């Protein structure tokens, strides 16, 4: 009995420690994103919005929206032009699929690789996950959100929806942003990550 109790306490302590590590990582992500938005050279904000900027609006962190997905490589996909908000024609290829479960339901999301970026050593391992969910147009940007990933080393990939962020065009329409393909529509709410951007009023 004592042994079972010890195992139970150890397991709970391990889960708490893991959650703490994940929360710290997400907070670091939020801090870096806020810093990027606060600096004129890296911010997508319009001048008036930048003057008033203090922080992006984030949902509360929820580690249940961190999923360890099965990664299925799709090596023989044909490159295609992903639609954008401005008509630009960036070339992408479907690099693989993420298979995972949320709320006891199975989902598959396509993961893409930008064919132009992969020639840049800084982005050669970069993967792109655009998606939409049932919060779009309400608490999140109507056009969907993005998650940045890297090429996994094995058959699993970590998808943290807490790191979902808005396209730059949601802050400034002069930016050209990829539109998430229909295949990446999720029929559930993802209430984590960055919320929709609301402009500050002049008197605030």
């Amino acid at each position: 009995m004592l042994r079972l109790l010890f195992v139970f306490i150890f397991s709970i302590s391990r889960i708490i420690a893991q959650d703490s590590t994940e929360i710290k990582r997400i907070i670091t992500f939020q801090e870096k994103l806020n810093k990027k938005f606060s600096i004129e050279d890296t911010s997508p904000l319009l001048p008036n919005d930048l003057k008033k900027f203090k922080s992006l609006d984030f949902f509360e962190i929820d580690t249940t929206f961190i999923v360890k997905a099965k990664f299925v490589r799709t090596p023989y996909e044909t490159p295609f032009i992903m639609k954008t908000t401005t008509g630009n024609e960036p070339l992408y290829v479907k690099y693989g699929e993420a298979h995972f479960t949320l709320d006891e339901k199975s989902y598959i999301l396509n993961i893409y690789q930008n064919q132009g970026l992969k020639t840049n050593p800084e982005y050669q391992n970069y993967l792109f996950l655009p998606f939409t969910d049932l919060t779009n147009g309400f608490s999140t940007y109507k056009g969907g959100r993005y998650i940045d990933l890297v090429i996994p080393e094995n058959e699993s990939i970590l998808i943290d929806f807490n790191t979902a962020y808005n396209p730059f065009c949601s802050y400034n329409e002069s930016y050209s942003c990829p539109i998430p393909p229909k295949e990446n529509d999720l029929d559930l709410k993802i209430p984590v990550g960055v919320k929709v951007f609301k402009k500050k009023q002049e008197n605030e």
Side-chain angles (χ1 to χ4, degrees), residues 120-135:
N120 184 332
E122 185 179 351
Y123 293 100
Q124 61 184 2
N125 291 323
Y126 172 76
L127 296 177
F128 179 56
L129 175 55
F131 72 96
T132 60
D133 69 273
L134 297 183
T135 66

Side-chain angles (χ1 to χ4, degrees), residues 11 22 63 67 125 140 142 152 174 196:
S11 298
E22 298 292 0
T63 57
V67 297
N125 291 323
T140 64
K142 63 183 179 180
S174 66
V196 66

Side-chain angles (χ1 to χ4, degrees), residues 44-55:
L45 296 174
L46 294 167
N48 284 341
D49 294 327
L50 182 58
K51 287 178 184 177
K52 305 183 189 76
F53 180 77
K54 293 181 180 178
S55 173

Side-chain angles (χ1 to χ4, degrees), residues 7 16 22 36 45 51 61 65 91-92 110 112 115 126 166 171 182 184 198 203-204:
V7 170
I16 292 172
E22 298 292 0
K36 182 176 183 178
L45 296 174
K51 287 178 184 177
I61 293 171
F65 284 92
L91 198 64
Y92 282 84
N110 292 340
Y112 303 97
Q115 298 302 280
Y126 172 76
N166 294 325
Y171 307 97
K182 288 292 184 183
N184 276 12
K198 295 179 180 178
N203 59 353
E204 290 187 13

Side-chain angles (χ1 to χ4, degrees), residues 9-192:
I9 292 173
F10 176 78
S11 298
I12 292 297
S13 299
R14 189 168 172 225
I15 291 170
I16 292 172
Q18 287 176 340
D19 277 355
S20 176
T21 300
E22 298 292 0
I23 289 170
K24 287 179 181 177
R25 178 181 55 76
I26 295 164
I27 290 174
T28 298
F29 162 81
Q30 293 180 351
E31 290 173 344
K32 287 182 177 178
L33 197 58
N34 275 332
K35 184 176 180 180
K36 182 176 183 178
F37 271 67
S38 66
I39 299 172
E40 184 177 358
D41 289 345
T42 56
S43 179
L45 296 174
L46 294 167
N48 284 341
D49 294 327
L50 182 58
K51 287 178 184 177
K52 305 183 189 76
F53 180 77
K54 293 181 180 178
S55 173
L56 293 170
D57 194 7
F58 298 95
F59 286 100
E60 288 188 16
I61 293 171
D62 186 345
T63 57
T64 61
F65 284 92
I66 302 174
V67 297
K68 187 176 182 180
K70 179 183 178 182
F71 178 74
V72 178
R73 181 77 170 92
T74 54
Y76 305 113
E77 295 287 338
T78 302
F80 70 99
I81 294 170
M82 190 176 291
K83 292 181 180 179
T84 66
T85 54
T86 63
N88 281 359
E89 299 184 340
L91 198 64
Y92 282 84
V93 70
K94 178 183 170 184
Y95 191 87
E97 296 175 347
H99 296 239
F100 61 95
T101 301
L102 264 178
D103 290 338
E104 300 182 349
K105 188 173 180 180
S106 297
Y107 296 94
I108 299 174
L109 286 175
N110 292 340
I111 299 173
Y112 303 97
Q113 185 181 53
N114 185 301
Q115 298 302 280
L117 280 181
K118 76 174 186 178
T119 60
N120 184 332
E122 185 179 351
Y123 293 100
Q124 61 184 2
N125 291 323
Y126 172 76
L127 296 177
F128 179 56
L129 175 55
F131 72 96
T132 60
D133 69 273
L134 297 183
T135 66
N136 299 154
F138 299 97
S139 53
T140 64
Y141 175 57
K142 63 183 179 180
R145 291 179 292 170
Y146 304 157
I147 295 175
D148 294 335
L149 299 170
V150 295
I151 295 174
E153 297 178 353
N154 48 46
E155 295 182 352
S156 67
I157 190 165
L158 192 72
I159 298 176
D160 186 354
F161 287 100
N162 290 275
T163 63
Y165 63 93
N166 294 325
F168 274 11
C169 54
S170 67
Y171 307 97
N172 183 341
E173 292 182 355
S174 66
Y175 284 92
S176 181
C177 300
I179 298 172
K182 288 292 184 183
E183 293 80 7
N184 276 12
D185 290 350
L186 292 173
D187 61 345
L188 82 162
K189 292 182 178 180
I190 304 290
V192 289

